[in-house]
């Protein structure tokens, strides 16, 4: 039971973080009691999006989306009131499950697309050095690692019919 509980909890944390960002962001943007300036989140999102041709921004939901050579679709959500939250999903067409090295390469590409250069380099270094915790559950794998400026940070890979999804999620300090 313990070996099953740990992977399930890791995946549940990632799913819960994504759900909280998705549901809370529109409400928090309207909340004047929020100590974090939601306009700063929008500025941050615009900074990310301006580096990607054809990106679209939904300011009310604090989301951005685009496609690139690496990903058929990328979607980024940021927000939070108590802590900064980031959730990014990159989708790749694939007829087969990708290897762990391919997963790391995709996670690194997604990190470079949505995070600061220093943060993306730190992720690459952690993966290269094996400084992560891996859990698996029902075809999904989750990798947790430490990243400066984040209380929790990790990424997941899900293999779906004809697609691979890489999700990065983190909550700030």
């Amino acid at each position: 039971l313990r070996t099953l509980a740990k992977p399930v909890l890791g995946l549940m944390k990632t799913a819960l973080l994504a759900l909280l960002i998705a549901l809370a962001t529109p409400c928090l943007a309207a909340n004047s009691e929020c100590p974090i300036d939601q306009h700063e989140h929008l500025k941050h999102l615009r900074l990310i999006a301006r580096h990607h041709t054809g990106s679209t921004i939904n300011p009310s939901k604090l989301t951005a989306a685009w496609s690139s050579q690496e990903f058929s679709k990328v979607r980024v959500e940021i927000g939070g009131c108590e802590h900064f939250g980031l959730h990014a999903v990159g989708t790749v067409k694939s007829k087969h499950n990708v290897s762990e090295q391919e997963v790391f390469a995709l996670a690194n590409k997604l990190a470079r697309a949505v995070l600061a250069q220093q943060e993306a380099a730190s992720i690459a270094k952690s993966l290269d050095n094996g400084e992560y915790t891996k859990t698996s559950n029902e075809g999904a794998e989750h990798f947790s690692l430490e990243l400066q400026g984040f209380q929790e940070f990790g990424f997941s890979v899900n293999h779906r019919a004809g697609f691979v999804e890489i999700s990065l999620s983190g909550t700030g300090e």
Side-chain angles (χ1 to χ4, degrees):
L1 185 59
R2 284 185 182 183
T3 57
L4 180 60
K6 198 171 187 180
V8 170
L9 288 175
L11 292 170
M12 287 174 58
K13 279 184 180 180
T14 301
L16 182 59
L17 173 64
L19 181 62
L20 286 173
I21 291 172
L23 294 176
T25 299
C27 296
L28 295 174
N31 185 350
S32 62
E33 295 177 19
C34 183
I36 297 176
D37 183 357
Q38 299 301 301
H39 296 289
E40 288 300 314
H41 287 331
L42 185 56
K43 284 182 191 177
H44 187 81
L45 187 64
R46 286 185 172 136
L47 180 66
I48 293 170
R50 78 175 179 190
H51 295 288
H52 304 285
T53 305
S55 62
T56 58
I57 296 175
N58 183 329
S60 65
K61 292 186 178 182
L62 293 174
T63 61
W66 64 86
S67 59
S68 67
Q69 289 181 328
E70 294 88 9
F71 298 100
S72 55
K73 183 177 182 180
V74 175
R75 188 185 76 251
V76 180
E77 302 172 68
I78 62 171
C81 197
E82 296 296 322
H83 301 284
F84 174 80
L86 174 125
H87 182 72
V89 179
T91 305
V92 177
K93 292 180 184 178
S94 179
K95 294 183 180 182
H96 66 284
N97 287 353
V98 295
S99 70
E100 191 167 277
Q101 290 306 79
E102 291 172 305
V103 168
F104 289 175
L106 289 169
N108 282 322
K109 288 176 183 177
L110 186 58
R112 285 192 306 271
V114 301
L115 296 172
Q117 186 177 15
Q118 182 179 354
E119 293 167 333
S122 179
I123 291 169
K125 182 179 177 185
S126 292
L127 294 176
D128 288 346
N129 293 336
E131 297 168 349
Y132 57 86
T133 302
K134 177 183 173 182
T135 54
S136 300
N137 185 33
E138 297 180 18
E141 297 173 319
H142 180 75
F143 300 83
S144 299
L145 50 114
E146 291 186 24
L147 185 60
Q148 187 174 359
F150 287 87
Q151 288 180 347
E152 292 186 19
F153 189 85
F155 67 92
S156 299
V157 59
N158 291 297
H159 303 274
R160 306 200 188 275
F163 292 93
V164 174
E165 280 186 349
I166 302 289
S167 302
L168 297 177
S169 295
T171 54
E173 295 181 321

